Amino acid sequence: MEVGAIHFEVKGRARDLEKRLHERFRSQRKKGEWFEGVTNEDVLTAVGGRAATAKDY
């Protein structure tokens, strides 16, 4: 299993973005904050202009 993380600098409320991501990837949720079959590109597309990637990504 591959595990990845992307750090974002959120524009607005981070809670709203996280809720949106959980709704978007609901069908791929395994447990809690763990999702399966979601690529970095999927996440970046879902985030769109709501956040910018932090410098370490």
Side-chain angles (χ1 to χ4, degrees):
M1 173 173 61
E2 183 177 325
V3 177
I6 304 173
H7 298 125
F8 290 101
E9 296 174 7
V10 178
K11 301 172 185 173
R13 291 177 28 163
R15 181 184 300 189
D16 293 341
L17 177 57
E18 180 158 358
K19 181 178 177 180
R20 177 180 169 79
L21 292 173
H22 276 265
E23 289 171 358
R24 167 66 176 82
F25 298 114
R26 181 178 305 158
S27 65
Q28 287 120 319
R29 183 175 176 201
K30 290 296 282 183
K31 182 177 181 183
E33 296 290 316
W34 293 91
F35 295 84
E36 185 173 67
V38 178
T39 66
N40 287 347
E41 291 77 21
D42 293 336
V43 174
L44 292 169
T45 299
V47 168
R50 294 171 189 82
T53 55
K55 294 178 183 176
D56 62 343
Y57 176 71

